[in-house]
Amino acid sequence: MDITQLIMDEHHQQRRLFAQIDDVDPKDREALSALWNRLKNLLDAHAEAEERFFYPRLMEVGKGGNDADSAEEETEDAIDDHNDIRDTGEDVGKHEVGSPAWFEAVGKCNKANSAHLAEEERQGITDFRKHATLQERHDLGVKFAAFEARHLGGIEVVDKDVDAYLDDPRGYMKENAPDMAKDAVD
């Protein structure tokens, strides 16, 4: 198990679920609701797991992948992106499922997510693969997978204070993350 591969696999799932939503008849609200709920829970748990396990360690070992100047820049961009994805995802729930406004809101979330995935794959994941050991990637992968398995039904959506996170990612997550005591941040 490798955290970078788990992240990449979930990116593929996210892209696939957005595409599936696009393929459903707007009148089939039951299917749209089911697909959106699955996707929304995945997006939220995925971002939270990255913020708990991936990005704190990236900031310690990373140097900046491809077009990023530093691991801090990669992390800052990612946390900003996660906040945008959370916000656009929450906006979807303000509209009637299957309506033009609902599809527009889903599209905005897809756009925010797609931009983030491309940047993260090009920068942070590449950087981490170059600088973290295989054993560490495995150990973090186990924690990442277990966290998400425990939160299949979703998590409390909480935007992060980017500057406070960058100052001390582990301390920030321990202090400000939703009440998930069994999911201690390392």
Side-chain angles (χ1 to χ4, degrees), residues 78-98:
I79 305 306
D80 272 335
D81 290 349
H82 287 171
N83 286 341
D84 191 31
I85 295 163
R86 282 188 269 266
D87 294 344
T88 57
E90 288 293 297
D91 189 50
V92 173
K94 297 175 183 173
H95 306 282
E96 182 182 343
V97 175

Side-chain angles (χ1 to χ4, degrees), residues 44-57 75 78-83 86 144 155 158-160 165 169-170 172-173 178 185:
D44 293 339
H46 179 86
E48 187 74 22
E50 285 183 348
E51 292 164 357
R52 286 173 178 263
F53 306 112
F54 179 72
Y55 281 103
R57 188 62 182 141
T75 302
I79 305 306
D80 272 335
D81 290 349
H82 287 171
N83 286 341
R86 282 188 269 266
F144 185 93
I155 63 168
V158 178
D159 279 354
K160 305 299 185 287
Y165 182 95
R170 286 186 175 89
Y172 179 85
M173 292 304 291
V185 179

Side-chain angles (χ1 to χ4, degrees), residues 150-161:
R150 284 192 295 274
H151 297 94
L152 287 174
I155 63 168
E156 180 183 349
V157 176
V158 178
D159 279 354
K160 305 299 185 287
D161 177 325

